[in-house]
């Protein structure tokens, strides 16, 4: 049976293919060229083949989860994965989840990738602010996103730091909800004063009452 032609037509058929087909690197390569996640149907030996895995993660970064432990610890492979899908960081080795270049690329691609970074980077002010800024830029209108925010994955010591949280709020006003309770009230007052000042400067209408986050003007990004 011509499994090459079959997976070219429908890569998902690799799931029900006999072992000889799932062991054939040519068949598997054809499948992952069309759908990276089909790497999960290949025999374990082929999930340790760098060429096959590299092709798979370039099509679907999250297919890194099916790679061998050795390749999940391969920086070149992991970098391709997080460039394709930031949250593929979840499946990289612990060593690489602590690697600056890998984490930076993941958070630039998708801010919420910060969730899977090692604690070192969840405590790093610049990395957290990068993640906050990137997700806000990616989601745009505040009302359209109910997703988790990168600030939720920041270390408690940062969420308790009023100066840091003010920087985060300037990048994404939704961060106010994740400030530590003991500083949240002060930050809300600061936001009101800041918005009132901006409205005075621009002549824009100032909202004297807050009925929800969707009324907050778009924040001006600060340098990270």
């Amino acid at each position: 049976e011509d499994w090459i032609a079959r997976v070219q037509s429908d890569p998902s058929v690799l799931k029900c293919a006999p072992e000889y087909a799932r062991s054939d690197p040519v068949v598997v390569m054809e499948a992952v060229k069309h759908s990276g996640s089909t790497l999960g149907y290949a025999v374990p030996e082929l999930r340790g083949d760098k060429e096959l895995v590299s092709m798979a993660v370039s099509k679907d970064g999250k297919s890194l989860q099916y790679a061998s432990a050795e390749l999940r610890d391969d920086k070149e492979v992991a970098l391709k994965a997080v460039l394709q899908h930031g949250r593929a960081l979840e499946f990289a080795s612990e060593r690489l989840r602590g690697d600056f270049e890998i984490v930076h690329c993941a958070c630039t691609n998708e801010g919420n990738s910060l969730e899977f970074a090692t604690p070192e980077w969840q405590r790093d002010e610049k990395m957290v602010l990068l993640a906050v800024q990137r997700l806000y830029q990616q989601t745009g209108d505040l009302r359209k996103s109910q997703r988790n925010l990168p600030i939720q994955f920041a270390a408690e010591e940062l969420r308790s730091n009023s100066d840091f949280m003010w920087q985060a709020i300037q990048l994404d006003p939704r961060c106010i909800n994740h400030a530590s309770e003991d500083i949240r009230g002060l930050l809300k007052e600061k936001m009101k004063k800041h918005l009132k000042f901006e409205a005075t400067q621009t002549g824009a209408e100032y909202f004297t009452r807050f009925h929800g986050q969707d009324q907050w003007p778009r924040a001006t990004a600060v340098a990270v």
Side-chain angles (χ1 to χ4, degrees):
E1 192 166 1
D2 188 356
W3 281 97
I4 294 177
R6 290 193 63 178
V7 298
Q8 286 175 334
S9 175
D10 180 4
S12 68
V13 300
L14 187 64
K15 180 179 181 178
C16 56
E19 186 173 349
Y20 76 83
R22 293 184 290 108
S23 303
D24 187 330
V26 178
V27 171
V28 175
M29 179 62 83
E30 285 302 319
V32 299
K33 279 181 181 177
H34 294 84
S35 175
S37 63
T38 56
L39 179 66
Y41 305 136
V43 296
E45 292 78 11
L46 292 186
R47 287 186 243 159
D49 182 299
K50 187 170 180 177
E51 184 180 2
L52 282 172
V53 172
S54 294
M55 176 59 72
V57 300
S58 70
K59 298 295 182 180
D60 179 354
K62 296 185 80 172
S63 65
L64 182 63
Q65 66 186 293
Y66 305 118
S68 66
E70 181 181 358
L71 290 181
R72 285 188 281 110
D73 190 48
D74 184 299
K75 185 170 180 177
E76 183 181 355
V77 172
L79 190 58
K80 286 183 179 180
V82 298
L83 285 171
Q84 200 285 322
H85 195 308
R87 287 176 67 83
L89 182 63
E90 177 182 4
F91 307 110
S93 67
E94 183 174 2
R95 180 181 74 88
L96 292 181
R97 287 188 286 110
D99 180 271
F100 169 78
E101 186 178 5
I102 297 290
V103 175
H104 189 275
C105 287
C107 290
T108 299
N109 200 353
E110 185 169 350
N112 269 339
S113 303
L114 183 67
E115 177 181 3
F116 306 114
T118 55
E120 172 191 2
W121 296 113
Q122 295 175 342
R123 292 191 300 267
D124 186 89
E125 293 188 10
K126 289 184 178 180
M127 190 67 77
V128 174
L129 291 176
L130 169 68
V132 168
Q133 184 176 34
R134 289 298 296 145
L135 186 70
Y136 191 81
Q137 291 171 339
Q138 291 156 357
T139 56
D141 192 331
L142 297 176
R143 294 167 293 185
K144 293 181 181 179
S145 176
Q146 299 300 319
R147 305 164 70 186
N148 290 332
L149 302 179
I151 198 67
Q152 293 174 247
F153 309 119
E156 175 61 29
E157 63 200 68
L158 292 184
R159 291 186 287 109
S160 300
N161 183 318
S162 59
D163 290 337
F164 172 79
M165 286 304 297
W166 180 241
Q167 292 183 70
I169 289 165
Q170 288 181 286
L171 293 172
D172 185 343
R174 295 171 294 182
C175 290
I176 186 68
N177 294 323
H178 303 288
S180 294
E181 190 173 348
D182 58 334
I183 65 170
R184 196 177 304 155
L186 293 174
L187 288 170
K188 284 184 176 180
E189 287 302 312
K190 189 172 183 178
M191 281 188 73
K192 290 179 182 180
K193 290 178 182 178
H194 182 72
L195 293 177
K196 186 173 184 178
F197 174 77
E198 282 194 344
T200 301
Q201 295 296 101
T202 62
E205 180 183 357
Y206 169 59
F207 295 108
T208 57
R209 296 181 64 192
F210 287 83
H211 297 290
Q213 296 175 76
D214 59 331
Q215 290 183 318
W216 297 346
R218 185 177 179 85
T220 301
V222 298
V224 177

